[in-house]
Amino acid sequence: MPDDKVKIPKNQQFQTPKGVHDILPEDHDYFTYIKKVVRHRARQAGFRRISTPMFEFTDVFKRSIGEASDIVTKEMYTFPDQKGRSLTLKPESTAGVVRSYLQNNLNQWPQPVLLYYIEPHFRYDRPQKGRYRQFWQFGFEIIGETDPALDAQLIQLAMKIYEDLGINDFFSLQLNTIGTPESRKKYMQVLQDYYAGKERSLCEDCKYRLDKNPMRLLDCKAEDCQILASLAPKMTDYLDKESVEHYAELKGYLDEIGIEYTENAKLVRGLDYYTKTVFEFWDKTEGAQNAIGGGGRYDGLVELMGGQPTPAVGFAAGMERIIANMKREKIRVPKKDELHVFVAQLGIEAKKKCLPLIDEMRDAGLKTMGALGKGAINIQLKLADKFKAPYAVLIGITEVRERTAIIRDMKRGVQEKVNFDQITDRLLELIGEENLDKYHPGELLY
Ligand code: AMP
């Protein structure tokens, strides 16, 4: 409904709100390609797709991501519905997936449950290069298994996808463990003791975090905070036996499958629900600023959300950042929507003939566009050129009388006359079976 009060001055157009953007057809070629790779790799590894709603009750995120996290304190799009209930656009998907796992009794499925998603997310982040307020992520969740072999497999799956997309060389895997909640509790106390008396050197955010989640001080980007963090006690000195063993086993598996990693004791990730393994893929030159993905283990989350204790591990990657990398490296993706044929006609009788013909050609897998307006043939041919159709079919008054059509090779500028009922077959020959865009009813096209 248009809002009467909003008056748009003449010559001024609406713009998108800050931090969000349209996905135009050229970018959709990238999105489509990435989605295909993700679906292919997910299916190979036994993952099934899930979509959770764009919004959830705010508590789903508060409870899981953590009251003191940046996302919950600063970045959520939260609004009341008509009945005053607090709802939030999803800033990430793990919380919703776990909510869904419990709500739909997925714990009755054979465990572990392997799920993947490809979804938009919303965060009130400060917009800048590679940081938007609506952005797409694909991600994987493995719920119901504690073995570090699964952490390794998940990391390998992420690497495979980056490799398929041609960008794996630009990122380094940063790896850390933040231990079990028990060992973390001890470490957080040690950190608070270390920072006691140093509060004045901390940025405003870290002053607040110190009380709520002191581990976040380790990955703060402010210069003074970084200096203090580099001298802080290390988590690895406070790990319990279970965490040490899990981490050692994980590294062993990564070595076994030949995945290089950099151990990074300051990597903590911003969300409260992580336990033990955390990892991120950092840009080799820009570091964490331009990470293309990250994840970790969240063994306590299912229980925190009201379920039985259930271990889990997950990963998410940012699609806009992947596309930016692919474009920078001039990695081309298939363009599936280029036309094959442009149909030009003259006169009402020709137009009548063209409608069923276009339908027949499309059904045969030829991407066909018909200029069914009133323009002269030469104007329509110019259009065929602009739309980059390799072939044009011309039907004028003479052709209708003769029951023929002219097929014009637009690149070479040569043309041939064919009988009307042979047009489609001849074009199929010219375009080639392998290039057709065929829809086979019954075959799933997703
Ligand atoms: P996170 O779980 O927050 O580390 O997000 C996982 C990945 O999503 C990041 O590594 C980024 O590639 C991407 N991402 C996160 N926030 C944004 C954002 N505001 N804009 C674009 N991409 C983002």
Side-chain angles (χ1 to χ4, degrees), residues 71 92 123 125 130-137 269 271 274 280-281 290-295 316-321:
I71 290 184
E92 55 99 57
R123 291 185 196 170
D125 240 330
R131 196 164 286 283
Y132 309 108
R133 290 183 171 168
Q134 178 181 336
F135 58 97
W136 282 76
Q137 286 180 334
R269 309 251 317 130
L271 298 78
Y274 287 110
E280 279 184 3
F281 292 92
N290 193 19
I292 41 160
M319 294 173 73
E320 283 83 356
R321 290 198 196 169

Side-chain angles (χ1 to χ4, degrees), residues 344-347 349-350 377 394-401 404-406:
Q345 43 68 46
L346 195 69
E349 287 309 313
I377 286 265
L394 315 176
I395 303 176
I397 298 157
T398 319
E399 285 74 29
V400 172
R401 209 174 41 233
T404 59
I406 291 166

Side-chain angles (χ1 to χ4, degrees), residues 141-289:
E141 313 288 356
I142 304 177
I143 307 177
E145 178 57 67
T146 181
D147 199 298
L150 288 170
D151 309 24
Q153 278 186 317
L154 191 65
I155 290 172
Q156 188 183 31
L157 179 59
M159 295 284 261
K160 284 251 183 234
I161 291 172
Y162 294 147
E163 226 172 276
D164 290 347
L165 298 173
I167 55 169
N168 54 315
D169 282 346
F170 310 108
F171 295 89
S172 69
L173 169 61
Q174 305 283 313
L175 187 67
N176 193 21
T177 177
I178 55 172
T180 57
E182 296 74 40
S183 59
R184 210 160 16 146
K185 218 187 244 167
K186 196 162 52 165
Y187 177 58
M188 291 207 281
Q189 187 56 54
V190 171
L191 271 185
Q192 277 165 341
D193 293 346
Y194 163 77
Y195 280 106
K198 302 184 179 72
E199 291 89 344
R200 272 193 305 153
S201 312
L202 295 173
C203 72
E204 287 309 308
D205 279 346
C206 282
K207 278 183 192 145
Y208 173 75
R209 290 170 183 150
L210 181 56
D211 185 38
K212 307 271 181 204
N213 186 356
M215 286 177 68
R216 287 301 316 283
L217 274 66
L218 298 177
D219 73 350
C220 179
K221 311 283 176 299
E223 207 178 330
D224 286 349
C225 298
Q226 284 197 355
I227 296 170
L228 284 177
S230 62
L231 302 168
K234 301 267 179 296
M235 175 81 215
T236 33
D237 297 330
Y238 295 87
L239 291 174
D240 55 18
K241 186 163 168 278
E242 182 186 337
S243 311
V244 170
E245 283 174 5
H246 189 96
Y247 192 42
E249 257 187 75
L250 167 60
K251 287 188 287 181
Y253 293 133
L254 290 177
D255 293 338
E256 194 62 39
I257 47 183
I259 291 181
E260 284 176 27
Y261 50 86
T262 306
E263 289 187 71
N264 180 344
K266 287 196 275 175
L267 184 74
V268 296
R269 309 251 317 130
L271 298 78
D272 278 7
Y273 54 62
Y274 287 110
T275 48
K276 297 183 184 162
T277 313
V278 286
F279 60 92
E280 279 184 3
F281 292 92
W282 282 12
D283 188 298
K284 279 187 183 162
T285 46
E286 290 177 51
Q289 284 302 340

